[in-house]
Structure formats: C-alpha cells, structure tokens
Amino acid sequence: MAKVKTAYVCTECGSDFAKWQGQCVACQAWNSLQEFKVQAKSKAGPGGGSGGYTGATKAEVIPLNQVDLQEVPRFSSTLGEFDRVLGGGLVPGSVILIGGHPGAGKSTLLLQTLCHLAQSLSVLYVTGEESLQQVAMRAQRLNLPVDNVNMLAETEVDTILRLAQQQQPKVLVVDSIQVMQAPGIESAPGSVSQVRESAAYLTRFAKQSQTVVLLVGHVTKDGSLAGPKVLEHMIDCSIMLEGSNDSRFRTLRGIKNRFGAINELGVFAMMETGLKEVKNPSSIFLSRSDSDASGSLVTVIWEGTRPLLLELQALVDESHFGNPRRVAVGLDHNRLSMLLAVMHRHGGIHTGDQDVFVNVVGGVRITETSADLALLLAILSSFRNRPVPRDWIVFGEVGLSGEIRPVPSGQERLKEAAKHGFKKAIAPAANIPKGGIAGMEIVAVEHVREALELV
C-alpha cells in the first residue's frame, strides 16, 4: 500500500505543520488546524487506481520573449451583470469560485447561465448535493431552455474528470466543491484534505483542456468561504453572492479576479423566473419615502467601474444605560466610532451619552471611505431632528484632523447624482470640476466644521 503522511493545515492562512497545535504560528489563529492526509500517488493514476483521469501533459520550457501575447478571447455568460463582475466575460481555462449563504441563489444563477450557454456551446452540469430530478424541476419552474444541457450526478472527482475528458465541454459547473471526493484521500467530504485535492484536480483539468470550471462554495457563519485558505489561491476568480432571505435583491461582488478588476458589483433581483439583471441599481436603492425624515441622506460610492447612489440612515437616541451602543449595518463599526470622535473634537457635537445606529439601505456593504462625510451629516440630522433636503448629495473622506479629503472619480460621481435629479452637492474642494455640473449647485468644503455649519 502507498504510504500515507499526515499534516495539519490552517484553515485561515493555509500554512501546514507536522503536528497539531492549538495556535497557528503563521496567522495567530486559535483552533484552526485540521488534519490533512497525503497519500503517495502511484503511476497508474492520480489516486492509485487504473483507468482514471491522469491529467498528463507534455511540459516544455519557453523563453518569455516568445510567449504569445494575443489576448485570450472571452465569451459572454449571457448575463450582463455577471460579465461585469468577471471583467468582461468568461475566460477559457479559468476556474471561478462562487460562494454565498444557503438560499442566496448560487445554483439558480449557474443553472440559468448554463442553460443559455448550452444553445451555442457544449456544457456539463455536475450536481453532488441534489438529484437530477431536483435540478430538472428547478429548470422547469424557471422556464429555462433545457436542450443540449448535459447533466451528471456524481461526487467522485476521478469519475467526473474522466467523463468530462470524453464530453469535452466548454463550461463545467461543479455544485458544490464541499461534497467532492478526491481519489486516494480517506477523510470525509468537506474536510481540508478533500476540498484542497478536489480543487487541485479540477484546476489542473481546466488549465490543460481550456475549459471554464465554475465551482460552488459554501460559506462559514462569519460569511467567509469554507475550506482551506489555500483554495482561494488556486482559483482565478472568487465571487460572493450576497443578499438576505427577506430581500429580493442579490449583489454579486468580485473578491479576486486575475482577468479583471476586483470589487466590481453586479445587482440582481430574485423573481419567479430566476435572477433578473438590474441595469440601474441606483434607482432601486433610492426608493425613498415621499416625506422628509431626519437622519436620511444620500451618498454616492464607487463600485468597480461605475458610481452607485445609496441612502444612509442614522438614528441617535438618548442612552438609558451606562455604555452607549454603536451599531453599524453595512458600514465598518470601528470607523463609525472614529468619525464620532472627529465630530466631537472638531465640530463640538457630543454623542457620548447617545445610542448611535447607522444603516445602509438595500443591504449593500460600503467598503470605501467616500461615505464618511455623508455619515456624519446623517448623524447630525438625527441628533438635531432636522431633515436634510431630499435633493442633496454628499460625499467625501474625513481625516482625523477634521480635513475633508478628495475621493477618486469625483466628477463622475457628481454627474451620476445630477442624472438622478439631485440639485445640490456637498463635496471635497479638490473634487469640484472647473466648469461645474449643469443644473447642480456644488458646495466645496475643506473641513468638517464647514460641512456641519451648512447643515
């Protein structure tokens, strides 16, 4: 029998160790080491068996100046928002990991994509969690074209790759990577060793056959992708499908992309016929009430290659306990505490005895700093109980000394706001265009004190 070696791999950073220990010395995470069994491969096949997928290819050394620089041709996924997140479409030979919470719509999105691609390309859908009848019922419920869609219910990676080598599909979907079993690995499906080896076999197949491999991944309780951290280094593109079960909107965000920009955002609406693209997401996130309300303010953020208008809401109320609460939904909690300290020091607004709650409408999470100024003014509006006019737009980064710093693509943000009917903007002085914006009054501010006095 082949000799089996045991290693312990950290699920947070991917480092491996010869023996188990309570803390990973590489990333300082506790209780993150899991057993990983490595079995020596025999010459007959990848798992010691015969007749399996060998994945053998002839290797050769090529000088760098002789590498063909012709751009790799992309092809559309038939969904414009999906193509936007991917950087322009699917790249042959790429491995794409799509993660999300249960019920977010991962299988629905990939089934829609595959059914439309099957009309012009050869595809293969591998389901390891559902039966073929369940997938067929979903396709019928969504009224999808099911012609030329090849299906396979299998969890053995060796069998999947052997059949895929015979079918030669252009697009291969594996749902999901957590239930796949690699040959020669004795641990249970979903363990570090199984996920790591299964992804390695699928990645090797994608590179050798120029097949687009789409993997479905589960997420942990904290929202990160389950499995070893090294899985994110193997793949070419990592995408998260986000959205709560009580909301019909889903956001598709790129986390890693070797063929395009990261942090690109695609928006979908969950309908009876599946996921429908939202061409203008700003109009959805700005569905505000007709009456003015204190603590509500609109800002514009930059997601990937386009501006996005969002509504910020703040509620400031007297605290009845000794420790006032600071709750941020869709925003960084630590940044909220920092901005409150800046407003107190440089604006004279004391909220130390107040509970402060802030929220981003629509379930979108803001990761950039351009919403700092809008957040401060929304908090002040709720604190003074004075509504901000509905046709105002505010953006800008706030520094610790109270200065208002410029943000990237300021002119494009102002044009997007003017297109949606906003009449007045409060923005950093360095972002003001020389010619102005037609139909919009732009107020330049350089310090937090100036912005607070305006409101």
Side-chain angles (χ1 to χ4, degrees), residues 307-454:
L308 185 64
L309 274 67
L310 296 173
E311 179 187 358
L312 296 180
Q313 290 182 337
L315 175 63
V316 181
D317 191 20
E318 182 180 357
S319 177
H320 299 285
F321 303 97
N323 188 18
R325 301 184 63 189
R326 303 285 186 263
V327 179
V329 179
L331 293 159
D332 186 11
H333 179 270
N334 294 327
R335 194 159 191 88
L336 170 62
S337 301
M338 184 191 73
L339 292 176
L340 291 176
V342 172
M343 186 169 64
H344 178 226
R345 176 65 181 271
H346 300 286
I349 307 299
H350 178 63
T351 58
D353 56 348
Q354 305 287 322
D355 291 332
V356 180
F357 306 89
V358 294
N359 175 45
V360 182
V361 176
V364 179
R365 180 167 184 81
I366 298 178
T367 57
E368 64 171 7
T369 58
S370 63
D372 289 351
L373 185 57
L375 181 60
L376 280 183
L377 298 186
I379 293 173
L380 179 61
S381 172
S382 177
F383 183 63
R384 299 297 188 192
N385 197 21
R386 295 181 181 177
V388 178
R390 293 171 52 84
D391 57 353
W392 283 27
I393 188 82
V394 181
F395 65 89
E397 180 183 352
V398 178
L400 288 179
S401 59
E403 78 278 9
I404 306 298
R405 297 179 177 271
V407 297
S409 307
Q411 187 172 352
E412 287 77 6
R413 298 174 194 246
L414 293 172
K415 290 181 179 179
E416 179 73 10
K419 186 173 67 176
H420 285 81
F422 288 88
K423 302 299 182 184
K424 189 172 182 177
I426 301 178
N431 286 131
I432 305 303
K434 295 181 179 179
I437 303 294
M440 174 179 283
E441 177 189 357
I442 304 176
V443 180
V445 291
E446 296 181 349
H447 198 272
V448 170
R449 191 179 302 105
E450 302 176 21
L452 296 180
E453 291 175 356
L454 286 173

Side-chain angles (χ1 to χ4, degrees), residues 75-79 82 90 98 106-127 135 139 142 144-152 169-175 211-216:
F75 59 93
S76 175
S77 65
T78 70
L79 293 175
F82 195 12
L90 298 168
I98 300 181
K106 304 182 296 297
S107 301
T108 300
L109 174 65
L110 293 180
L111 184 61
Q112 283 183 240
T113 302
L114 218 63
C115 287
H116 289 99
L117 285 175
Q119 308 309 309
S120 57
L121 300 173
S122 59
V123 299
L124 177 61
Y125 190 102
V126 179
T127 172
V135 179
L142 301 178
L144 296 175
V146 295
D147 299 337
N148 304 323
V149 180
N150 296 321
M151 299 292 302
L152 174 64
K170 294 295 182 182
V171 181
L172 171 64
V173 171
V174 178
D175 187 5
T211 302
V212 178
V213 176
L214 296 164
L215 306 177
V216 177

Side-chain angles (χ1 to χ4, degrees), residues 177-372:
I177 188 63
Q178 267 78 20
V179 300
M180 294 294 113
Q181 300 182 30
I185 306 298
E186 299 179 356
S187 57
S191 61
V192 173
S193 54
Q194 288 286 5
V195 173
R196 188 177 186 178
E197 288 299 307
S198 299
Y201 281 115
L202 292 168
T203 301
R204 188 181 304 117
F205 170 77
K207 303 303 179 184
Q208 295 172 356
S209 62
Q210 292 298 299
T211 302
V212 178
V213 176
L214 296 164
L215 306 177
V216 177
H218 296 169
V219 296
T220 58
K221 292 185 292 184
D222 60 354
S224 59
L225 285 168
K229 200 68 177 177
V230 71
L231 178 61
E232 297 183 16
H233 300 286
M234 293 181 182
I235 60 176
D236 300 308
C237 185
S238 178
I239 298 176
M240 290 295 293
L241 185 62
E242 304 168 346
S244 57
N245 295 330
D246 57 348
S247 174
R248 67 187 185 98
F249 296 109
R250 304 289 190 270
T251 57
L252 196 66
R253 184 184 298 275
I255 300 176
K256 172 189 176 182
N257 193 354
R258 289 175 177 166
F259 306 105
I262 61 173
N263 288 330
E264 192 71 63
L265 188 70
V267 183
F268 295 88
M270 181 63 78
M271 313 293 290
E272 294 181 356
T273 56
L275 291 170
K276 182 179 179 181
E277 300 175 70
V278 178
K279 300 294 185 181
N280 187 11
S282 296
S283 60
I284 294 178
F285 298 132
L286 291 181
S287 55
R288 309 168 69 188
S289 60
D290 297 332
S291 59
D292 293 338
S294 60
S296 175
L297 192 60
V298 176
T299 187
V300 53
I301 64 174
W302 194 263
E303 288 289 350
T305 58
R306 64 179 174 183
L308 185 64
L309 274 67
L310 296 173
E311 179 187 358
L312 296 180
Q313 290 182 337
L315 175 63
V316 181
D317 191 20
E318 182 180 357
S319 177
H320 299 285
F321 303 97
N323 188 18
R325 301 184 63 189
R326 303 285 186 263
V327 179
V329 179
L331 293 159
D332 186 11
H333 179 270
N334 294 327
R335 194 159 191 88
L336 170 62
S337 301
M338 184 191 73
L339 292 176
L340 291 176
V342 172
M343 186 169 64
H344 178 226
R345 176 65 181 271
H346 300 286
I349 307 299
H350 178 63
T351 58
D353 56 348
Q354 305 287 322
D355 291 332
V356 180
F357 306 89
V358 294
N359 175 45
V360 182
V361 176
V364 179
R365 180 167 184 81
I366 298 178
T367 57
E368 64 171 7
T369 58
S370 63
D372 289 351

